[in-house]
């Protein structure tokens, strides 16, 4: 049987520079290489991710652009996505950030990964077989802050690049947010229980799309009855319970605030 060499050949040849091969494998199967192309940043790539089976049959290798000294951050991102491919048999969707409620890189704000096209165009992004047909792709993973991921979700990757000033402004993983955090809109829904008529909220969760509020007195049976639930606007909810305003203003997707009184103080309980 002829072994398909299109992916390893592409990874080796692309950008016109030979790779530096890392010693450690991801998951014992995926090799990691580093390239230092002229006119571009250090690019850390996988060689072997395309061998991981996916339900769709799609095959991808992965790449991350980093500053020198931050190659470890690239490897962590590649490991996260390779593990997702291996576990869930899916390739990362282009243009849709994977978001975590907490930063996954220590001492940084980086909490999201987004697959996009590269700065190099089709010669980098497309893997072609001997017959010239597209065999798969190289997906470039962008390491984003939560504010950047929110902006990219709403406006797209090109708009985030424009707002940041350049694609290179999104390389340094120790950066501050390059865009302002989008506030939760006043007309966004808040799902609450009718017990809020007599009891204050205890746990308030922001899912990224909506707020969910409970008093802590609800049983499972109570929550299962849709008649016990109401939908308010965020503005109405904050007006009724003003001490939640600070959390609503700063909440990140996946976070839950625990309130023990009406002082406005809260603690975060991440999912």
């Amino acid at each position: 049987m002829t072994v398909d060499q299109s992916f390893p050949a592409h990874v080796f040849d692309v950008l016109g520079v030979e790779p530096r091969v890392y010693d450690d494998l991801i998951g014992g199967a995926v090799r990691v290489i580093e390239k230092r192309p002229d006119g571009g940043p250090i690019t850390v790539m996988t060689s072997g991710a395309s061998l991981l089976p996916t339900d769709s049959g799609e095959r991808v290798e992965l790449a991350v652009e980093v500053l020198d000294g931050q190659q470890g951050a690239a490897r962590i991102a590649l490991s996260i996505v390779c593990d997702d491919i291996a576990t869930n048999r899916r390739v990362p969707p282009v243009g849709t950030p994977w978001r975590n409620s907490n930063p996954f890189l220590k001492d940084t704000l980086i909490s999201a990964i987004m697959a996009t096209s590269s700065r190099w165009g089709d010669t980098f992004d497309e893997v072609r077989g001997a017959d010239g047909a597209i065999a798969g792709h190289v997906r470039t993973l962008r390491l984003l802050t939560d504010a950047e991921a929110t902006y990219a979700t709403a406006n797209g990757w090109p708009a985030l690049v424009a707002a940041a000033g350049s694609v290179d402004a999104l390389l340094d993983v120790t950066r501050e947010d390059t865009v302002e955090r989008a506030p939760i809109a006043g007309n966004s829904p808040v799902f609450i229980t009718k017990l809020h008529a007599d009891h204050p909220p205890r746990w308030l969760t922001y899912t990224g799309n909506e707020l969910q509020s409970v008093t802590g007195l609800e049983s499972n049976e109570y929550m299962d009855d849709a008649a016990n639930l109401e939908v308010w606007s965020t503005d109405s909810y904050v007006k009724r319970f003003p001490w939640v305003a600070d959390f609503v203003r700063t909440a990140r997707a996946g976070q839950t605030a625990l309130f023990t009184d009406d002082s406005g103080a809260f603690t975060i309980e991440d999912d």
Side-chain angles (χ1 to χ4, degrees):
M1 181 178 70
T2 302
V3 178
D4 181 7
Q5 293 295 322
S6 56
F7 280 88
H10 182 85
V11 171
F12 187 89
D13 293 336
V14 76
L15 300 180
V17 291
E18 291 189 6
R20 172 197 166 198
V21 181
Y22 291 6
D23 292 332
D24 295 337
L25 303 179
I26 293 176
V30 178
R31 190 162 298 284
V32 181
I33 68 151
E34 176 184 314
K35 291 202 167 190
R36 295 177 177 246
D38 293 334
I42 292 171
T43 303
V44 182
M45 302 178 67
T46 60
S47 180
S50 57
L51 297 176
L52 298 172
T54 63
D55 288 338
S56 67
E58 296 174 89
R59 301 172 65 192
V60 296
E61 296 292 350
L62 308 169
V64 183
E65 298 177 347
V66 291
L67 300 182
D68 199 5
Q70 296 183 355
Q71 289 90 331
R75 196 183 189 287
I76 290 172
L78 294 174
S79 296
I80 290 171
V81 177
C82 282
D83 181 67
D84 186 69
I85 295 173
T87 301
N88 298 306
R89 297 174 63 94
R90 63 187 178 191
V91 299
V94 175
T96 302
W98 169 87
R99 301 171 70 174
N100 193 39
S101 58
N102 278 325
F104 58 83
L105 297 179
K106 184 179 179 181
D107 299 325
T108 78
L109 297 178
I110 301 299
S111 62
I113 299 173
M114 182 177 180
T116 73
S117 57
S118 74
R119 68 177 67 210
W120 308 104
D122 291 346
T123 57
F124 184 89
D125 297 342
E126 294 179 352
V127 180
R128 293 184 177 270
D131 61 356
I134 295 177
H137 294 87
V138 177
R139 298 304 187 196
T140 299
L141 306 179
R142 310 296 181 175
L143 309 187
L144 305 179
T145 69
D146 187 72
E148 292 163 353
T150 300
Y151 191 95
T153 298
N155 303 288
W157 167 247
L160 174 60
V161 172
S166 70
V167 67
D168 289 336
L170 297 163
L171 292 181
D172 186 355
V173 297
T174 66
R175 68 183 180 274
E176 298 296 321
D177 291 324
T178 60
V179 294
E180 292 185 4
R181 180 183 299 278
I184 299 175
N187 61 354
S188 294
V190 185
F191 290 84
I192 72 169
T193 65
K194 291 183 176 179
L195 289 180
H196 286 72
D198 300 306
H199 303 280
R202 183 171 179 83
W203 282 284
L204 179 58
T205 298
Y206 179 48
T207 68
N209 298 309
E210 64 197 35
L211 289 161
Q212 299 173 353
S213 182
V214 294
T215 67
L217 300 174
E218 296 87 353
S219 65
N220 290 335
E221 293 75 16
Y222 184 94
M223 294 298 294
D224 288 339
D225 187 348
N228 293 323
L229 303 179
E230 297 180 341
V231 182
W232 292 11
S233 72
T234 295
D235 281 346
S236 297
Y237 179 79
V238 173
K239 184 177 180 179
R240 173 65 179 84
F241 306 108
W243 59 88
V244 305
D246 281 349
F247 173 71
V248 171
R249 179 176 54 83
T250 61
R252 295 190 319 197
Q255 288 186 325
T256 296
L258 169 63
F259 296 89
T260 57
D261 54 38
D262 61 2
S263 67
F266 61 87
T267 56
I268 294 294
E269 298 185 349
D270 290 300
D271 289 350

